[in-house]
């Protein structure tokens, strides 16, 4: 049975979700320019990334439908986190299963991710030990490739983020190269406090 947004449940990512997350990423790596990865991740790569997100006290959220299939996921990671001056800034990732786009799942995931980042103390299921004031998340970045074959020549995604309160703050031209095409990236930013 095909799940709809109304039967959807959002959950903290668990180890059992890793294979399905990997399969979603494999689809986007092999078939689209929205990620600049050229080689799909292994399950170990996805597992380590999930652990790194939790270690940073950030949320990793999955959307599951009937029979617990993963229909989408979102998470935040520290932006340039090796440099501590960036500690209040995170970058988000958001992917829906290719058979389950444009059903409201991405909107629910992104809304929840922002709510959790803004008030982690209200969501212990996603962040068991919130960050202190010294490294509390303030800025959320969405860094997107412009897939000109996509929705509104790739700018539908930019407008989707704007509808969630993000402001477009940057545009790099032809910085990506995949499938014999030069690809732009656009940067959006949401200030939480
Ligand atoms: C981008 C993405 C997360 C959006 O999630 P989604 O579940 O498909 O989108 P939703 O159904 O929540 O729709 C949100 C809005 O975008 C519109 N929309 C979404 N996909 C659309 C499409 N292909 N064409 C036209 N409009 C679309 C919806 O109509 C909706 O608008 P509304 O709220 O004004 O009605 C999802 O399509 C996806 O995973 N895409 C591929 C991966 C990707 O690009 N990730 C972002 C990397 S930066």
């Amino acid at each position: 049975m095909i799940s709809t947004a109304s039967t959807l449940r959002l959950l903290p990512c668990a180890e059992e979700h890793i294979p399905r997350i990997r399969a979603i990423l494999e689809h986007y790596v092999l078939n689209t320019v929205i990620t600049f990865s050229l080689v799909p991740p292994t399950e170990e790569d996805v597992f380590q990334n999930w652990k790194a997100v939790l270690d940073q006290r950030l949320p990793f959220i999955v959307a599951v439908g009937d029979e617990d299939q993963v229909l989408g996921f979102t998470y935040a990671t520290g932006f340039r986190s090796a440099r501590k001056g960036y500690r209040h800034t995170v970058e988000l990732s958001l992917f829906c299963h290719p058979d389950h786009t444009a059903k409201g799942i991405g909107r629910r995931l992104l809304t929840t991710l922002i709510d959790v980042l803004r008030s982690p103390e209200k969501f212990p299921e996603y962040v068991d030990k919130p960050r202190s004031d010294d490294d509390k998340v303030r800025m959320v970045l969405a860094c997107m490739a412009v897939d000109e074959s996509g929705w509104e020549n790739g700018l539908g995604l930019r407008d989707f983020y704007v509808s969630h309160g993000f402001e477009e703050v940057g545009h790099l031209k032809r910085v990506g190269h995949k499938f014999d095409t030069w690809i732009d990236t656009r940067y959006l930013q949401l200030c939480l406090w």
Side-chain angles (χ1 to χ4, degrees):
M1 178 180 155
I2 295 177
S3 292
T4 63
S6 59
T7 61
L8 198 72
R9 287 175 299 136
L10 300 195
L11 301 171
C13 179
E15 194 168 348
E16 73 204 46
H17 300 128
I18 300 292
R20 283 177 159 151
I21 291 171
R22 194 212 61 79
I24 292 172
L25 288 169
E26 178 177 74
H27 166 83
Y28 287 112
V29 171
L30 294 182
N31 299 293
T32 77
V33 300
I34 62 177
T35 159
F36 287 171
S37 294
L38 302 180
V39 178
T42 62
E43 280 188 22
E44 180 63 16
D45 295 333
V46 179
F47 178 84
Q48 292 302 337
N49 183 48
W50 168 57
K51 285 290 181 196
V53 168
L54 300 189
D55 286 349
Q56 295 169 75
R57 300 185 187 170
L58 293 169
F60 197 130
I61 304 170
V62 293
V64 300
D66 305 319
E67 296 164 18
D68 285 345
Q69 79 266 44
V70 175
L71 304 184
F73 61 91
T74 187
Y75 61 87
T77 50
F79 176 73
R80 298 187 173 179
S81 52
R83 298 175 203 161
K84 287 292 170 200
Y86 281 117
R87 68 193 179 284
H88 296 283
T89 301
V90 297
E91 180 179 350
L92 73 84
S93 293
L94 172 65
F95 290 90
C96 292
H97 187 290
D99 295 338
H100 295 277
T101 57
K103 295 179 182 177
I105 298 170
R107 182 168 291 286
R108 268 192 68 186
L109 281 165
L110 183 56
T111 302
T112 304
L113 182 77
I114 293 167
D115 287 348
V116 176
L117 291 172
R118 185 176 275 120
S119 308
E121 67 286 351
K122 294 183 186 165
F123 297 91
E125 68 275 35
Y126 292 120
V127 181
D128 65 351
K129 195 165 176 227
R131 293 174 165 208
S132 70
D133 284 351
D134 186 50
D135 58 358
K136 196 171 163 181
V137 177
R138 184 171 190 216
M139 295 296 173
V140 185
L141 305 184
C143 309
M144 55 165 278
V146 182
D147 176 3
E148 290 186 358
S149 69
W151 155 36
E152 312 256 339
N153 298 326
L155 296 183
L157 181 59
R158 188 266 315 269
D159 297 342
F160 168 73
Y161 287 124
V162 168
S163 76
H164 284 265
F166 285 77
E167 174 192 6
E168 187 172 359
V169 291
H171 179 184
L172 299 181
K173 297 182 182 175
R174 299 177 288 282
V175 286
H177 192 248
K178 189 172 176 184
F179 304 149
D180 272 338
T181 306
W182 292 100
I183 307 144
D184 292 5
T185 55
R186 289 181 182 250
Y187 297 82
L188 295 101
Q189 177 170 355
L190 176 71
C191 182
L192 297 178
W193 50 272

